[in-house]
Amino acid sequence: MADRVTGPASYFPSIEKTYGRPVEEWFALIEASPLSRHGELVSWLKAEHGLGHGHANALVAHVLKR
């Protein structure tokens, strides 16, 4: 039986389907941003790229945890 994906990664299939980009592209955008704080990055993804709060939060949390 496959392990169930939990945490921020559980949002990744929905993010890819909703926005038409692989999560790796979102990770690269976040890493290239001059912003570094979680809330700033979430707000930026929402304002500049039209992501919903949960999706933006999941991507930022994953990148900052690396």
Side-chain angles (χ1 to χ4, degrees), residues 1-14:
M1 190 173 234
D3 289 332
R4 184 170 171 218
V5 177
T6 61
S10 67
Y11 285 84
F12 296 169
S14 177

Side-chain angles (χ1 to χ4, degrees), residues 14-65:
S14 177
I15 291 168
E16 290 179 338
K17 182 179 178 185
T18 302
Y19 305 104
R21 296 171 110 170
V23 291
E24 291 79 14
E25 285 186 24
W26 294 111
F27 299 157
L29 279 172
I30 294 165
E31 290 167 348
S33 171
L35 304 171
S36 61
R37 296 179 61 184
H38 184 98
E40 293 173 329
L41 288 161
V42 169
S43 294
W44 171 72
L45 286 171
K46 291 167 58 177
E48 296 296 320
H49 298 284
L51 271 73
H53 182 81
H55 288 160
N57 189 58
L59 290 167
V60 171
H62 182 79
V63 169
L64 294 181
K65 188 175 178 181

